Every structure is written in C-alpha cells, then in structure tokens.
Amino acid sequence: LGEVVEFCNERISTSELSINNYVSTENLLQDFQGVLPANSIPADTNVISYKEGDILISNIRPYLRKVWKADNRGGCSTDVLVLRTKKSNCNSSFINYQIANDRFITYVMSGAKGVKMPRGDKKQMEKYSLSYPSFEEQDKIAHLLALSEQRIALQNGLIEDLKNIKN
C-alpha cells in the first residue's frame, strides 16, 4: 500500500470549513457507509486537509469499518487518516475498494495498538499487500463495484418502502 498511497499531513484552518466538509471519527459512518455532516467544528485551529478522491479512514477502533472516499475538499481530525494515491497509474476508486473491505480491516486490527480504543499502525498499513492491474482494468472494476453499490442502495430503499407500507 505504501508504494501507491501516501498518508497526508497537509493542514487547513478550521475557519475555512463547514459542518459539510469537516470529518471526525464521530461523523464517519460505520460499515463503509459514508459520512454525515459534523455536529461541530473545532474553533481556531488547523486540522488535516483532504481533497476530493482522497480516502479517509478512522484510525480509532478500525473494526468499526469507517472508511470514506472524499467527494469534496475539506479537513479532518487527527484521528482520521488521509490516504492519497501517489502514482498516476492508480485509480483512487479502485484503491478505495481495496481498503474499504474486511480483508484490509482484519489486517489493520492484527497490528492495532491499545485495548479499549485500539488504533491502527500507519507503518503496518503501508506494508499491506495489494495488487493492481492496468489503469483501464482498475477503472472497469471500480465502475462495476460502484454500480453494484448503487443497486444495493436502491434495493435497500425499496425494502424500507415495503416495510413502511406493511406497517
């Protein structure tokens, strides 16, 4: 993983952020479900900056599976890791699917430190083994997985509608 992504530490002032582009472990959703608007933003400080396409991972209690591919520019708490592809032949959506899965989370938990609030180890994450085909294949795979996610979301919505009708 360390060959294809970098852990970003660039900073941004919280005065440039809103509840819609500030991410903390509290508003990252479990089970790879995305992010909600933040309840609050720290005042008058600098936080880690992220860009559209970056992959954000909650580093506290990785077993909660809080991973999100950013669709905007913003900032996040230091408990959220920001990964950015550093090779032009790597599709960030493809890398996101490699990270937002149980195999990666199990790997991170195998090297996590702490009992009550375990944290992932960046050095260990950098050693995570993954393979990536040509950029064209990565793009096709990421597109297929995105379509599958959309279909799942649609089906879940239909199920909820049917439950409401039944009630």
Side-chain angles (χ1 to χ4, degrees), residues 82-120:
V82 177
L83 282 68
R84 183 173 298 149
T85 56
K86 60 183 180 180
K87 288 191 166 191
S88 60
N89 63 342
C90 285
N91 179 310
S92 65
S93 293
F94 177 81
I95 299 299
N96 178 61
Y97 286 116
Q98 295 245 1
I99 291 171
N101 73 52
D102 290 333
R103 180 175 169 253
F104 179 75
I105 299 302
T106 300
Y107 177 81
V108 171
M109 285 304 300
S110 72
K113 296 175 174 35
V115 178
K116 187 177 179 182
M117 300 275 273
R119 291 178 177 271

Side-chain angles (χ1 to χ4, degrees), residues 14-106:
T14 53
S15 64
E16 297 181 50
L17 303 175
S18 73
I19 60 169
N20 295 314
N21 67 350
Y22 176 72
V23 178
S24 73
T25 59
E26 294 160 5
N27 63 317
L28 267 172
L29 298 174
Q30 295 182 29
D31 299 322
F32 316 121
Q33 294 298 307
V35 68
L36 293 173
N39 291 328
S40 63
I41 304 169
D44 301 322
T45 189
N46 289 326
V47 294
I48 301 198
S49 171
Y50 69 83
K51 297 178 181 175
E52 184 175 346
D54 287 349
I55 302 161
L56 282 64
I57 305 170
S58 174
N59 198 32
I60 295 178
R61 298 186 292 171
Y63 58 84
L64 293 176
R65 305 167 3 146
K66 294 183 174 188
V67 178
W68 175 62
K69 182 175 169 262
D71 59 8
N72 61 11
R73 175 188 149 305
C76 61
S77 76
T78 55
D79 292 327
V80 176
L81 303 176
V82 177
L83 282 68
R84 183 173 298 149
T85 56
K86 60 183 180 180
K87 288 191 166 191
S88 60
N89 63 342
C90 285
N91 179 310
S92 65
S93 293
F94 177 81
I95 299 299
N96 178 61
Y97 286 116
Q98 295 245 1
I99 291 171
N101 73 52
D102 290 333
R103 180 175 169 253
F104 179 75
I105 299 302
T106 300

